[in-house]
Amino acid sequence: MERGLLWLPLLFMFFWLAWQGSKEYQKVEAYRAWAEQFERAKYDIYAVLGQKGQDITWGKPTPKGPIKLETFSLIDVQKIQLLVDDKIVEIDNPPEKGRQIELEFIFVEKPQSVRVPFTEIPLAAEWGKFLQGVL
């Protein structure tokens, strides 16, 4: 009886992990179908990002597909900055660690900027370099 009570939490944990893995797999599959329309795309747990010509589309990944999608044109972008922990850093020489990583797109005529979150600094820096080249 006591051994059964010890194994019960492990059984629940196993089913919870399997369920979480299934949800993440569904997110990746939904992203894969969504990303086919773009020339270049990225997926991570915080955001999806797609680039097609001069247009950038980004949103939040879900198991049913990306939501809260926003699209803007690179023609309207004045500047692209890499932010790590809300501080501007050099894209060519990014820090190794940071908690909050974002690419900020500053527009010519709009007062508000767009911040796209990333999980890894090198990935954000690579995207920033590439998109600055497209500008």
Side-chain angles (χ1 to χ4, degrees):
M1 176 77 174
E2 294 150 355
R3 290 183 184 168
L5 290 175
L6 290 174
W7 285 101
L8 193 59
L10 290 174
L11 183 62
F12 284 128
M13 184 180 285
F14 172 76
F15 282 113
W16 180 79
L17 286 172
W19 178 70
Q20 290 291 2
S22 172
K23 275 181 48 179
E24 195 60 35
Y25 177 77
Q26 289 172 348
K27 282 184 190 179
V28 171
E29 287 302 310
Y31 160 76
R32 185 174 291 142
W34 175 81
E36 288 176 357
Q37 63 186 318
F38 297 102
E39 298 166 5
R40 185 176 165 112
K42 79 105 180 166
Y43 168 86
D44 65 32
I45 60 173
Y46 295 131
V48 293
L49 179 70
Q51 183 249 337
K52 186 174 186 180
Q54 294 289 324
D55 292 333
I56 301 291
T57 302
W58 75 283
K60 182 178 173 154
T62 67
K64 295 182 180 181
I67 59 170
K68 298 181 182 177
L69 292 173
E70 294 181 34
T71 301
F72 59 89
S73 176
L74 286 175
I75 296 170
D76 301 330
V77 174
Q78 176 184 7
K79 189 177 184 184
I80 299 173
Q81 300 180 135
L82 176 60
L83 302 174
V84 177
D85 298 329
D86 287 326
K87 295 177 185 168
I88 299 170
V89 298
E90 293 180 33
I91 288 181
D92 295 326
N93 190 18
E96 292 184 23
K97 294 182 180 180
R99 289 184 164 204
Q100 185 178 3
I101 303 127
E102 297 171 317
L103 266 185
E104 182 178 35
F105 297 88
I106 299 171
F107 298 101
V108 176
E109 296 183 10
K110 292 182 188 177
Q112 264 187 320
S113 63
V114 170
R115 289 184 173 189
V116 179
F118 281 76
T119 54
E120 299 176 5
I121 294 173
L123 181 62
E126 180 183 317
W127 267 90
K129 287 177 194 175
F130 174 77
L131 292 174
Q132 281 181 345
V134 174
L135 283 178

